Amino acid sequence: MGTDAIGRDILRFSDALPVGICVIGWDRRIILWNRTLADWSGKKSEETIGLLLDEIYPNLKRPSYQTRIDQVLNGGPPAVFSSQLHPSLFDCRHPDGTPRVQQTSIIRYPGGDPDTVSALIIIEDVTELDQEIRSARNMRDQALRLAGERKAAEESLEQLNAKLHLLSSVTRHDILNKVMVIDGFLGFAEEMATDPTLAEYLEHVRAAAMIIQNILLFNREYEKIGQSDPAWLSIEAQVQEIEPGDIPVSCDCPGISVHADPMLRKVFSNLYDNTLRHADGATHVRVACQRTGSGLVITWEDDGPGIPDDDKADVFNRGFGRNTGLGLFLIREILSITGIAISETGTPGEGVRFELLVPEGGFRYD
């Protein structure tokens, strides 16, 4: 049987197709071997026409392949083989010698002679698709691995944080108890001291003990930052939670909430404590809100002496100030969790003015 038995359409277009085309007759002899398949296999068409296909590729003698080809020739459904799952039916290679990943389809084809039954074999090169699939799988596997590693790391970090928190809590509790013991014995010693020099030394000891106590209390508060998820908090409600003192506080932020750490109440109580400690002669505190092009500005103003210009850049640094130097530092840390910035913009001699800038999306009107 020769190429005359093949339909004109196959003869005309097979060499132009970007896939390998082979046609075999009922006897498994090759009738057509197109140009693409010749390039891929290294076997010219004139060398293969008339040969038995399984003589060129002995692996096709396997019963599984023979059975499927017989089924196709006998009118069964098309057979599809992928070299990702099966050995390649045809040894087709790239110019660099690497095998082409193939998808091979075998279809019953009557040909030009109605009394002749042939099988049309189409070989597609799916190497690039296979590489993309493998790359996608590798990316997926890597992402899953990283996600698993991240989850394990987060769980380990949570356990470590819990242990550190417990250790810190127990240690702080024990030290505070010792400070209380020191405070008690200092009281007895001060009552018994008649030497002015000794009394002065005891005063220094008490001051040092108070500093230790304040640092421990600060650490307890600092540990709470970020432990709870940020929430929408009413500004007026937070200001109202300030423990009342000698200086009245007014708030003009009706119906405004900010997205902040639940310790926002500590921000306002620390600002109030700062006013009580440093604003000598202050008679009132005013909290107000104003929408600007950058977001929402919350102002805290008193009518005390204010802060000298030389100190404005340092007031939020840890350790700065006449007392513990921790209150304003803690305020800045709490606010920074949700991107709220704080600065001091008051005029010396006219009182402090702390400005809290809440970014867009971080506030709402209830």
Side-chain angles (χ1 to χ4, degrees):
M1 184 182 301
T3 57
D4 291 340
I6 304 302
R8 295 178 181 177
D9 51 344
I10 293 294
L11 287 172
R12 182 178 301 172
F13 297 113
S14 65
D15 281 346
L17 293 175
V19 296
I21 299 289
C22 172
V23 178
I24 60 174
W26 183 266
D27 56 359
R28 309 292 197 281
R29 293 188 181 278
I30 299 171
I31 302 172
L32 183 142
W33 190 271
N34 80 334
R35 182 179 294 122
T36 299
L37 187 54
D39 292 339
W40 289 356
S41 66
K43 303 180 187 302
K44 296 180 179 179
S45 175
E46 55 267 26
E47 297 173 354
T48 60
I49 300 298
L51 297 179
L52 289 170
L53 184 62
D54 54 18
E55 287 183 354
I56 300 176
Y57 299 112
N59 60 300
L60 295 180
K61 293 180 179 180
R62 294 180 180 180
S64 58
Y65 291 145
Q66 292 284 343
T67 300
R68 292 296 289 120
I69 293 174
D70 285 343
Q71 289 175 347
V72 171
L73 289 170
N74 288 318
V80 179
F81 301 93
S82 171
S83 58
Q84 296 170 302
L85 304 174
H86 311 91
S88 297
L89 273 69
F90 294 77
D91 184 16
C92 296
R93 296 183 175 271
H94 291 281
D96 62 1
T98 57
R100 295 177 186 269
V101 181
Q102 306 167 30
Q103 178 169 294
T104 304
S105 304
I106 305 177
I107 305 170
R108 187 174 186 270
Y109 182 75
D113 185 352
D115 297 327
T116 302
V117 175
S118 307
L120 174 65
I121 303 174
I122 304 172
I123 302 99
E124 298 177 78
D125 183 356
V126 293
T127 304
E128 291 186 4
L129 177 61
D130 178 71
Q131 291 173 347
E132 291 177 1
I133 292 174
R134 292 179 185 274
S135 177
R137 287 174 178 169
N138 289 336
M139 292 175 62
R140 178 203 62 191
D141 293 342
Q142 183 178 8
L144 291 173
R145 183 174 63 255
L146 291 174
E149 292 174 357
R150 178 176 179 177
K151 183 178 180 180
E154 289 176 348
E155 290 175 351
S156 298
L157 184 60
E158 288 179 1
Q159 294 176 0
L160 178 60
N161 283 338
K163 292 178 180 179
L164 291 175
H165 179 71
L166 178 61
L167 175 63
S168 175
S169 194
V170 171
T171 303
R172 183 172 56 246
H173 180 268
D174 290 346
I175 295 175
L176 283 172
N177 284 341
K178 300 302 181 184
V179 170
M180 293 180 64
V181 173
I182 293 172
D183 183 68
F185 279 103
L186 275 176
F188 293 137
E190 287 169 343
E191 291 178 359
M192 297 171 60
T194 57
D195 184 350
T197 302
L198 178 59
E200 182 181 354
Y201 290 161
L202 291 175
E203 184 178 345
H204 289 308
V205 172
R206 178 175 292 280
M210 290 301 299
I211 291 175
I212 293 173
Q213 183 181 37
N214 288 333
I215 291 174
L216 292 172
L217 294 176
F218 166 79
N219 287 342
R220 182 175 64 188
E221 294 299 318
Y222 193 77
E223 280 186 357
K224 297 177 183 177
I225 299 177
Q227 287 189 355
S228 301
D229 293 334
W232 289 102
L233 305 171
S234 164
I235 297 175
E236 290 192 334
Q238 299 297 303
V239 173
Q240 289 171 1
E241 290 190 16
I242 296 174
E243 186 175 345
D246 296 333
I247 303 176
V249 180
S250 64
C251 182
D252 186 19
C253 297
I256 301 178
S257 295
V258 294
H259 195 243
D261 188 279
M263 288 190 69
L264 182 63
R265 57 178 177 78
K266 192 68 176 178
V267 169
F268 292 112
S269 63
N270 275 13
L271 287 174
Y272 188 64
D273 182 69
N274 183 77
T275 294
L276 293 177
R277 289 176 180 272
H278 306 296
D280 298 332
T283 61
H284 72 274
V285 171
R286 180 174 180 268
V287 181
C289 294
Q290 182 179 1
R291 179 75 179 269
T292 69
S294 302
L296 178 73
V297 175
I298 306 171
T299 56
W300 175 284
E301 297 178 279
D302 66 36
D303 57 348
I307 297 176
D309 289 331
D310 293 341
D311 293 341
K312 289 181 181 292
D314 299 318
V315 292
F316 298 103
N317 293 336
R318 183 174 181 178
F320 183 83
R322 291 178 295 182
N323 293 295
T324 63
L326 300 174
L328 294 178
F329 170 78
L330 182 65
I331 287 174
R332 185 183 64 181
E333 295 297 295
I334 294 172
L335 295 174
S336 67
I337 290 177
T338 52
I340 302 175
I342 184 170
S343 59
E344 204 289 318
T345 62
T347 302
E350 298 181 7
V352 298
R353 176 185 171 90
F354 290 105
E355 293 189 358
L356 286 63
L357 177 58
V358 184
E360 290 290 344
F363 62 93
R364 70 184 185 188
Y365 294 89
D366 299 328

